Amino acid sequence: MDDKLRLLLAEDDKNLGMLLREYLNAKSYDVTLCTDGEEAIETYQEGEFDFCILDVMMPKKDGFTVAKEIRSSNIEIPIIFLTAKGQKEDVVEGLSIGGDDYITKPFNIEELIARIETIRRRVYNNNTNIEKKTFTLGSLTFDSNKQVLISEDGHEDKLTTKECELLYLLCINANKVLEREIALKTIWNDDHFLNVRTMDVYITKLRKHLKKENSIEIINVHGKGYKLIV
């Protein structure tokens, strides 16, 4: 990947969008600005991008709809949602469809850059806690390097980066309690309340991925965290 990150920025507030574009361009990002959801999808389909920053509330198509359409063709590209203060609870929905992070308006642009770079290192430079290992989960094989669950018939079920990181932590602690605080600080870097809600969403998603294997179960351990029963 070129060192200059190609960003798709979708923001319907033209003043904020232009400010963000100019500042990020000055910081050596290559930014394409769209002002509604339909334009964002068309621009994404016509170009090549490494990263998406999507305002949740946009005309024509909202940020969640845009993210779903992008995720249908690319499960790996990082997505950050921009949300208004009163929409923080709604962002759980966005994270459940594959968003990587959110930032609440008004925000400091340097904070946005810090979020971008944290995700960039995790996704593109492989600076994660995931080692190149595979795990046997009943009839399934979890390849943490390729981020896939492989069935006996060879079918590969692709995982998002955070799904992979969370399943990896569960696997290396199989049949033991994975403490909630450890998982939050390892994957999300803090134990903020919204991140607790977000992790619950990802646990639900992992259960769906694993449902074809009856011998595997992720259980809640009240007041402590989760346990992968193998």
Side-chain angles (χ1 to χ4, degrees):
M1 184 191 72
D2 192 295
D3 288 337
K4 201 167 187 179
L5 204 69
R6 296 164 297 187
L7 297 177
L8 174 64
L9 170 63
E11 169 59 64
D12 69 315
D13 182 331
K14 292 184 179 180
N15 291 331
L16 176 59
M18 291 174 65
L19 175 66
L20 289 174
R21 180 180 63 186
E22 291 175 11
Y23 192 89
L24 291 169
N25 280 336
K27 291 291 184 177
S28 298
Y29 297 96
D30 182 4
V31 181
T32 300
L33 173 63
C34 302
T35 56
D36 65 63
E38 285 187 359
E39 182 187 1
I41 292 169
E42 290 172 2
T43 301
Y44 174 80
Q45 292 172 341
E46 293 171 357
E48 293 184 9
F49 297 95
D50 306 307
F51 211 107
C52 297
I53 302 173
L54 308 176
D55 184 28
V56 172
M57 296 300 293
M58 290 189 292
K60 297 184 180 179
K61 290 188 178 182
D62 63 31
F64 295 158
T65 301
V66 174
K68 286 179 183 178
E69 295 198 28
I70 289 174
R71 276 281 173 262
S72 68
S73 62
N74 188 334
I75 199 169
E76 295 179 340
I77 188 169
I79 296 174
I80 290 180
F81 290 109
L82 305 180
T83 75
K85 198 167 186 177
Q87 299 165 342
K88 288 182 69 174
E89 293 300 316
D90 295 339
V91 85
V92 173
E93 176 189 346
L95 295 171
S96 72
I97 62 174
D100 292 272
D101 206 347
Y102 75 97
I103 190 166
T104 304
K105 300 176 185 178
F107 55 84
N108 184 298
I109 298 180
E110 291 295 337
E111 180 185 355
L112 175 61
I113 290 175
R115 302 285 186 96
I116 292 170
E117 289 301 316
T118 296
I119 297 170
R120 179 186 197 178
R121 288 193 297 270
R122 181 190 301 135
V123 174
Y124 292 117
N125 297 340
N126 202 29
N127 284 344
T128 70
N129 292 315
I130 298 178
E131 300 174 7
K132 296 181 179 179
K133 290 186 177 179
T134 60
F135 300 87
T136 300
L137 303 174
S139 63
L140 302 173
T141 300
F142 169 43
D143 187 327
S144 62
N145 184 40
K146 293 183 178 180
Q147 296 189 192
V148 293
L149 276 170
I150 306 170
S151 303
E152 283 184 311
D153 61 5
H155 173 75
E156 293 189 355
D157 187 7
K158 185 71 176 177
L159 304 177
T160 65
T161 298
K162 278 189 167 58
E163 287 172 348
C164 186
E165 291 176 342
L166 184 53
L167 183 55
Y168 178 80
L169 289 179
L170 288 164
C171 285
I172 63 174
N173 291 280
N175 298 317
K176 296 185 292 184
V177 176
L178 171 62
E179 294 183 15
R180 185 187 296 267
E181 290 75 14
I182 290 175
L184 287 167
K185 289 177 180 178
T186 299
I187 299 174
W188 282 274
N189 299 318
D190 66 56
D191 55 1
H192 188 276
F193 170 74
L194 186 57
N195 286 335
V196 173
R197 292 276 307 277
T198 301
M199 189 165 72
D200 291 340
V201 170
Y202 278 96
I203 287 291
T204 299
K205 293 174 70 176
L206 286 178
R207 285 175 174 142
K208 290 180 180 177
H209 283 299
L210 296 169
K211 66 181 180 180
K212 64 181 69 175
E213 178 46 68
N214 295 328
S215 67
I216 304 298
E217 184 182 9
I218 301 173
I219 64 171
N220 292 359
V221 180
H222 183 68
K224 293 185 178 180
Y226 304 96
K227 182 187 291 187
L228 176 67
I229 306 297
V230 178

